[in-house]
């Protein structure tokens, strides 16, 4: 018997920073089978696995790791798929360090089992085997569900309910299914072929996808209710926030949504092979410090920037981005300009961005979020030369659905009010989940909300509201 | 996939009309609303205001000027070919009502296609409607017959005097203002300098003036914010708050600047297309 404690957490092989900063290929390369088995051997198979309690979709973590450890990769992926429709996605973009891995018993004395990397390994192994076997489907219930929005929450509901025998149609406004997984998260963090494979798998199970369907315009929720038994709304947050400072409409200033959608969904990084253009800034500034800001900054570097600066009014500790993203970004040459706030943008005579005025900040008393409030330092203004800026300071609720649907209740920010245990809205036969309920959050939280709603919808279809 | 069932070249082939099968959109569309179109997998999403709809046949009509790579690509599509994607109807419909006084609908260039359903809507509502349309030269005029049918009076202008009034659409508008007849509403769509001139002309007289904007956008549903424009010093999204706004409040200079954002890319893309077309001919 090997002493489990002696095997260290296995590092993830990665593309070298100086190479990857100029290409769009995936940064982490994935475990080899040997490494995966070795890492899996570190799991001590707790009787009461606390890691599972940190997972919004309650994956049987020791269960799938046990299979991996014995080299039973097919059994491992089957175990994962009992709880998640998107293992290849979750293995890559979940914040494991603040969920399952944070609770891992090994983390108390050393390093947690690399649960996310193992999940990714199992999913990638399966994709490498060719066609994934289809699970056996139960008899059809002849009930039908409309899912509005093909992002992580919607895809989870679709996957769960098709496996329970219901008919599922997913309505998506864009020309491609995947939501934030295709328009928001860049190729180098989540290859689009992986998302497509997950969507294709759902289609093979019988999920119907209606693309180019913007609910609220092409059809209303009430029209969907006329031909479906239940409707799940998962349309995302959907409206970008701006800073509302002078000069914000200058050419070269993007919302993160626009910048990332151009690059990811429309493949502007391959212009002119693809027709959608994108600015290739030389000295880029990104306002904000979350995962979206990091994605924008790292995209700008790959599009040929000389310098990319993250400008954030608080300190490093308050940066909402995952530690891994910040680390990867810094390795690639992204500069962090902390305790710095934008004051105004300045342009040339053609209306193109050329500089940004900033001011220094210092941390004062804690604010309502519990974080120390940034306070401007007097007479500290200075200028940063920049030809492109990306504003990544969050999103607001898109009113397209709520303004065209009677009986839905929203909170003061315009997000849909839904029960946190069931996803039920104030309107009969309508559920909601993901960012349109919580405001901008993570892929896995949206999936967790989808899981709860799917259970509630299934229950309704079988026994009633 | 969205099939083209009718196709007409207009204005010496610089403008193309397509009638497209899109029954769900046709059933819902109202004057003033637009669609986003993509010709193929590598294509851009292009917003175009619908020039007409036929809910019974399940078709929508678009009219576009060939100005860059994407519209050049659109032009290669023949009857029986397909647009890969058509999304809509998007934007707020024009608020059309019975008003006290004359309604003047002004279209410049392909803006005429935008004002056509609005003009007809005002007429059908029982208003007296004057239409003014203009183009650089006679051969570039479009929709004269349809605009004549959609209004009570049609005035035509050309910049070079080759047909109708020698001058701008704003000259004719000025004549109506000077006549003293009560003008209840002006609606204008066309090049930004034209809409700006019209708004400046009606502002001192307090004549309500709606303009239809053609901002650059990606999704058309409020998600990207690329189409933002200052209206009354407040940023509005053309896709969901518009595309029509109070012309007296729009920052036309800012709009014009933002429309020039990709001029260099456009030149590059068009050059590539020309190049590949020539290669295609050589085969």
């Amino acid at each position: 018997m090997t002493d489990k404690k002696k095997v260290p957490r296995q590092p993830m092989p990665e593309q070298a920073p100086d190479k990857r900063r100029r290409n769009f290929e995936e940064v982490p390369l994935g475990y080899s089978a040997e490494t995966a088995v070795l890492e899996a051997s570190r799991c001590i198979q707790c009787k009461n696995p606390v890691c599972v309690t940190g997972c919004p979709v309650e994956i049987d973590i020791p269960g799938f790791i046990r299979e991996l450890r014995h080299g039973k990769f097919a059994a491992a992926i089957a175990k994962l798929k009992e709880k998640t429709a998107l293992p290849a996605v979750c293995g890559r973009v979940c914040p494991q360090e603040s969920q399952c891995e944070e609770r891992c018993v090994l983390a108390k004395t050393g390093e947690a089992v690399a649960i996310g990397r193992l999940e990714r390994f199992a999913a990638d192994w399966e994709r490498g085997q060719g066609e994934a076997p289809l699970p056996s489907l139960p008899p059809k219930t002849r009930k039908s569900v409309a899912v509005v929005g093909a992002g992580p929450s919607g895809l989870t509901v679709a996957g769960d309910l098709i496996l329970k025998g219901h008919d599922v149609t997913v309505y998506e406004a864009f020309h491609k299914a995947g939501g934030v997984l295709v328009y928001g998260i860049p190729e180098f963090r989540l290859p689009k072929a992986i998302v497509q494979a997950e969507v294709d798998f759902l289609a093979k199970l019988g999920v119907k996808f209606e693309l180019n369907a913007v609910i609220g315009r092409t059809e209303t929720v009430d029209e969907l209710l006329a031909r479906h038994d239940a409707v799940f709304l998962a349309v995302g947050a959907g409206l970008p926030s701006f800073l509302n400072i002078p000069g914000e409409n200058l050419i070269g200033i993007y919302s993160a949504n626009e910048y990332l959608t151009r690059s990811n969904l429309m493949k502007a990084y391959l212009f002119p092979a693809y027709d959608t253009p994108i600015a290739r800034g030389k000295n880029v500034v990104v306002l904000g410090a979350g995962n979206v800001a990091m994605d924008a900054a790292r995209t700008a570097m790959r599009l040929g920037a000389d310098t990319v600066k993250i400008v954030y009014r608080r300190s490093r500790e308050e940066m909402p981005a995952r530690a891994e993203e910040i680390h990867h970004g810094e390795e690639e040459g992204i500069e962090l300009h902390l305790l710095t706030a934008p004051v105004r943008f300045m342009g040339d005579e053609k209306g193109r961005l050329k500089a940004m005025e900033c001011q220094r900040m210092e941390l004062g008393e804690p604010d309502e979020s519990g974080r120390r409030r940034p306070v401007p330092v007097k007479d500290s203004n200075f200028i940063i030369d920049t030809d492109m800026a990306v504003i990544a300071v969050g999103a607001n609720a898109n009113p397209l659905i709520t303004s065209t649907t009677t009986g839905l209740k929203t909170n003061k920010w315009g997000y849909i009010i839904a029960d946190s245990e069931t996803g039920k809205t104030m309107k009969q036969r309508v559920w909601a989940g993901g960012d349109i309920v919580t405001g901008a959050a993570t892929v896995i939280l949206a999936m967790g909300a989808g899981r709860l709603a799917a259970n509630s919808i299934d229950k309704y279809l079988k026994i009633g509201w | 996939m969205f099939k083209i069932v009718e196709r007409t070249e207009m204005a010496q082939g610089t403008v193309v009309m397509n009638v497209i099968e899109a029954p769900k959109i046709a059933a819902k569309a109202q004057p003033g609303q637009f669609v986003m179109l993509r010709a193929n997998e590598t294509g851009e999403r292009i917003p175009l205001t619908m020039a007409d709809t036929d809910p019974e046949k399940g078709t929508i009509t678009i009219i576009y000027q060939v100005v860059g790579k994407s519209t050049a690509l659109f032009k290669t599509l023949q009857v029986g070919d397909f647009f890969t994607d058509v999304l809509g109807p998007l934007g707020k419909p024009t608020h059309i009502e019975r008003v006290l006084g004359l309604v003047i609908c002004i279209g410049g260039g392909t803006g005429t296609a935008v004002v056509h359903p609005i003009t007809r809507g005002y007429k059908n509502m029982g208003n007296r409607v004057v239409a003014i349309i203009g183009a650089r030269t006679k051969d570039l005029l479009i929709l004269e017959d349809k605009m004549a049918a959609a209004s009570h009076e049609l005035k035509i202008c050309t910049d070079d005097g080759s047909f109708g009034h020698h001058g701008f659409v704003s000259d004719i508008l000025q004549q109506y203002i000077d006549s003293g007849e009560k003008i209840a509403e002006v609606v204008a769509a066309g090049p930004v300098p034209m809409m700006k001139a019209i708004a400046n002309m009606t502002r001192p007289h307090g004549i309500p003036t709606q303009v239809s904007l053609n901002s650059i956008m990606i999704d058309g549903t409020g998600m990207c914010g690329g189409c933002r424009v200052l209206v009354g010093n407040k940023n509005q999204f053309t896709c969901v708050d518009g595309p029509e706004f109070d012309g007296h409040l729009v920052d036309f200079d800012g709009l014009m600047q933002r429309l020039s954002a990709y001029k260099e890319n456009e030149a590059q893309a068009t050059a590539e297309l020309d190049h590949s077309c020539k290669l295609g001919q050589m085969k």
Side-chain angles (χ1 to χ4, degrees):
Chain A
M1 287 291 280
T2 51
D3 185 348
K4 280 156 197 158
K5 281 179 190 158
K6 282 195 181 152
V7 178
R9 180 176 159 109
Q10 295 300 298
M12 179 63 116
E14 288 173 350
Q15 269 201 79
D18 61 333
K19 188 173 156 227
R20 72 181 193 237
R21 68 203 282 268
R22 296 299 191 205
N23 72 49
F24 276 83
E25 283 147 42
E26 196 172 12
V27 171
L29 302 171
Y31 277 166
S32 65
E34 296 73 32
T35 310
V37 171
L38 188 62
E39 179 64 28
S41 75
R42 296 181 63 232
C43 174
I44 58 170
Q45 297 286 320
C46 301
K47 282 247 158 41
N48 291 309
V50 279
C51 51
V52 178
T53 63
C55 175
V57 296
E58 296 171 340
I59 287 172
D60 178 0
I61 294 167
F64 96 83
I65 293 182
R66 186 166 54 240
E67 303 294 0
L68 280 183
R69 181 186 179 174
H70 295 123
K72 295 181 182 167
F73 302 151
I77 187 69
K79 206 63 174 161
L80 280 161
K81 284 192 165 177
E82 285 172 10
K83 294 288 185 178
T84 169
L86 309 169
V89 173
C90 296
R92 287 172 165 81
V93 304
C94 268
Q96 292 99 7
E97 67 281 0
S98 59
Q99 296 180 355
C100 53
E101 292 182 16
E102 184 181 50
R103 303 199 188 183
C104 176
V105 171
L106 294 190
K108 287 185 183 135
T109 52
E111 286 191 290
V113 174
I115 300 167
R117 294 168 183 177
L118 291 175
E119 180 181 22
R120 171 185 160 156
F121 168 80
D124 288 0
W125 175 85
E126 185 192 42
R127 217 172 45 261
Q129 302 301 303
E131 295 260 305
L134 291 186
S136 57
L137 293 169
K140 284 277 169 202
T141 62
R142 280 189 268 174
K143 300 283 185 183
S144 137
V145 181
V147 172
V148 183
S153 201
L155 293 180
T156 298
V157 168
D160 282 8
L161 293 180
I162 200 82
L163 290 177
K164 291 188 194 294
H166 308 302
D167 267 333
V168 182
T169 305
V170 179
Y171 297 85
E172 166 58 42
F174 270 132
H175 54 261
K176 221 173 206 48
V180 73
L181 308 176
V182 295
Y183 76 73
I185 303 177
E187 181 77 16
F188 56 84
R189 213 150 71 75
L190 178 63
K192 298 309 144 219
I194 289 172
V195 182
Q196 194 58 49
E198 309 269 28
V199 170
D200 290 346
F201 183 74
L202 290 176
K204 264 188 237 155
L205 290 175
V207 174
K208 294 184 273 290
F209 286 92
E210 262 201 46
L211 307 176
N212 292 310
V214 55
I215 303 307
R217 289 277 188 242
T218 315
E219 291 191 279
T220 62
V221 171
D222 289 304
E223 283 169 301
L224 295 183
L225 283 169
R227 63 170 188 274
H228 296 285
D229 298 294
V231 172
F232 178 63
L233 301 175
V235 296
L239 277 189
S241 293
F242 285 92
L243 297 166
N244 297 314
I245 61 174
E248 205 162 15
N249 288 5
L250 288 165
I251 298 170
I253 303 178
Y254 288 111
S255 74
N257 271 358
E258 180 181 5
Y259 185 64
L260 292 172
T261 302
R262 280 180 183 273
S263 182
N264 300 330
L265 177 74
M266 305 310 295
K267 303 215 178 299
Y269 70 93
L270 297 173
F271 179 90
Y274 282 73
D275 296 344
T276 303
I278 193 164
R280 289 172 177 258
K282 283 292 157 202
N283 295 294
V284 176
V285 168
V286 176
L287 292 315
N291 290 321
V292 173
M294 294 309 303
D295 282 346
R298 297 173 70 195
T299 297
M301 186 58 87
R302 282 159 175 77
L303 286 173
D306 294 332
T307 65
V308 180
K309 298 179 173 70
I310 292 263
V311 170
Y312 183 48
R313 62 201 181 108
R314 300 179 194 256
S315 72
R316 191 179 185 110
E317 244 168 67
E318 289 88 11
M319 286 179 73
R322 291 181 67 193
E324 179 183 316
E325 303 306 325
I326 299 170
H327 169 70
H328 276 151
E330 286 194 293
E331 279 186 339
E332 291 164 12
I334 310 294
E335 305 162 27
L336 303 183
H337 292 251
L338 304 168
L339 292 168
T340 305
V343 175
R344 67 183 173 117
F345 293 106
M346 293 169 281
D348 63 16
E349 68 288 346
K350 286 182 176 161
R352 291 176 184 270
L353 177 66
K354 64 170 192 190
M356 182 175 79
E357 184 177 332
C358 295
Q359 71 186 161
R360 306 250 180 244
M361 310 295 275
E362 59 191 5
L363 292 180
E365 295 299 307
D367 61 16
E368 60 272 20
S369 73
R371 301 179 297 182
R372 293 177 66 193
R373 185 193 299 276
V375 187
V377 176
K378 229 183 154 191
D379 300 325
S380 66
N381 289 29
F382 64 102
I383 304 284
I384 294 178
D385 285 334
T386 171
D387 58 347
M388 196 190 104
V390 180
I391 296 163
V393 294
N396 302 308
N398 191 319
L400 221 44
I401 293 228
T402 49
S403 66
T404 54
T405 311
T406 53
L408 272 184
K409 294 273 189 306
T410 55
N411 65 18
K412 63 177 170 174
W413 300 283
Y415 293 110
I416 297 173
I417 294 174
D419 183 274
S420 61
E421 295 299 312
T422 63
K424 279 181 179 174
T425 67
M426 308 295 262
K427 188 177 172 76
Q428 286 264 317
R429 298 198 285 133
V430 178
W431 284 254
D435 285 3
I436 191 59
V437 172
T438 57
T442 62
V443 168
I444 190 68
L445 283 173
M447 290 177 62
R451 167 65 37 77
L452 293 173
N455 289 340
S456 170
I457 293 168
D458 181 54
K459 204 168 138 199
Y460 161 74
L461 294 175
K462 285 171 180 158
I463 58 178
W465 183 270
Chain B
M1 301 288 270
F2 298 81
K3 192 177 179 179
I4 298 173
V5 293
E6 254 184 81
R7 179 184 183 282
T8 314
E9 290 193 8
M10 312 159 105
Q12 308 283 309
T14 60
V15 175
V16 181
M17 180 188 81
N18 284 161
V19 179
I20 304 166
E21 273 179 6
K24 281 193 173 172
I25 300 173
K28 281 283 164 67
Q30 294 175 61
Q33 289 189 298
F34 68 96
V35 287
M36 301 284 310
L37 304 103
R38 202 168 69 117
N40 60 26
E41 271 309 312
T42 55
E44 255 184 302
R45 294 164 64 95
I46 299 290
L48 283 174
T49 301
M50 287 173 274
D52 212 343
T53 55
D54 189 331
E56 278 170 28
K57 287 187 186 152
T59 59
I60 61 167
T61 302
I62 53 159
I63 294 178
Y64 57 88
Q65 188 176 6
V66 181
V67 287
K69 179 175 178 186
S70 291
T71 43
L73 189 62
F74 284 8
K75 194 185 170 184
T76 64
L77 300 177
Q78 303 298 321
V79 170
D81 289 345
F82 295 84
F83 279 93
T84 301
D85 304 292
V86 181
L87 172 72
L90 300 169
K92 290 184 177 162
T94 312
H95 184 69
I96 296 175
E97 56 180 352
R98 180 87 166 84
V99 290
L100 292 171
L102 189 60
V103 176
I104 301 184
C105 297
I106 306 173
T110 43
T112 304
V114 175
V115 295
H116 168 246
I118 301 169
T119 309
R120 188 174 54 194
Y122 271 108
K123 189 183 178 193
N124 290 346
M125 199 61 85
N127 296 292
R128 201 171 95 75
V129 181
V130 168
I132 310 173
I133 64 172
R136 264 190 295 121
T137 184
K138 177 174 182 276
D139 293 336
L140 298 181
L141 283 165
I142 60 166
L143 300 180
E144 299 102 295
D145 295 349
K146 286 199 165 186
M147 288 302 284
S151 61
H152 295 93
E153 229 179 293
L154 173 67
K155 303 281 183 184
I156 296 176
C157 318
T158 49
D159 297 1
D160 66 357
S162 51
F163 192 80
H165 168 73
H166 184 173
F168 297 133
V169 288
S170 46
D171 303 341
I172 308 284
L173 174 63
Q174 188 66 56
Q175 289 170 15
Y176 277 94
I177 293 173
D178 293 343
S179 77
E181 184 176 355
K182 179 172 165 53
I183 303 170
E185 189 85 41
V186 168
V187 182
V192 180
M194 179 202 98
M195 293 190 285
K196 181 182 174 184
I198 286 167
N200 285 342
M201 194 173 271
T202 57
R203 188 180 290 110
H205 304 279
I207 302 168
T209 301
Q210 298 295 314
V211 292
S212 181
L213 307 188
N214 55 338
S215 313
I216 295 172
M217 56 181 79
I218 296 285
D219 61 295
T221 64
M223 206 198 80
C224 83
C227 64
R228 63 193 185 274
V229 58
L230 286 176
V231 180
N233 272 324
K234 202 173 150 248
N235 254 334
Q236 299 273 291
F237 291 176
T238 304
C239 64
V240 287
D241 300 319
E244 281 165 37
F245 293 105
D246 181 343
H248 297 154
L249 300 177
V250 170
D251 170 21
F252 288 105
D253 295 338
L255 173 66
M256 228 175 316
Q257 278 183 347
R258 287 187 66 77
L259 284 171
S260 74
Y262 297 102
K263 277 231 165 89
E264 288 150 25
N265 299 105
E266 192 57 70
Q268 188 192 350
T270 308
E272 295 265 338
L273 181 70
D274 286 349
H275 182 64
S276 63
C277 287
K278 279 175 193 139
L279 287 178
Q281 282 162 6
M282 274 167 17
K283 275 179 198 162

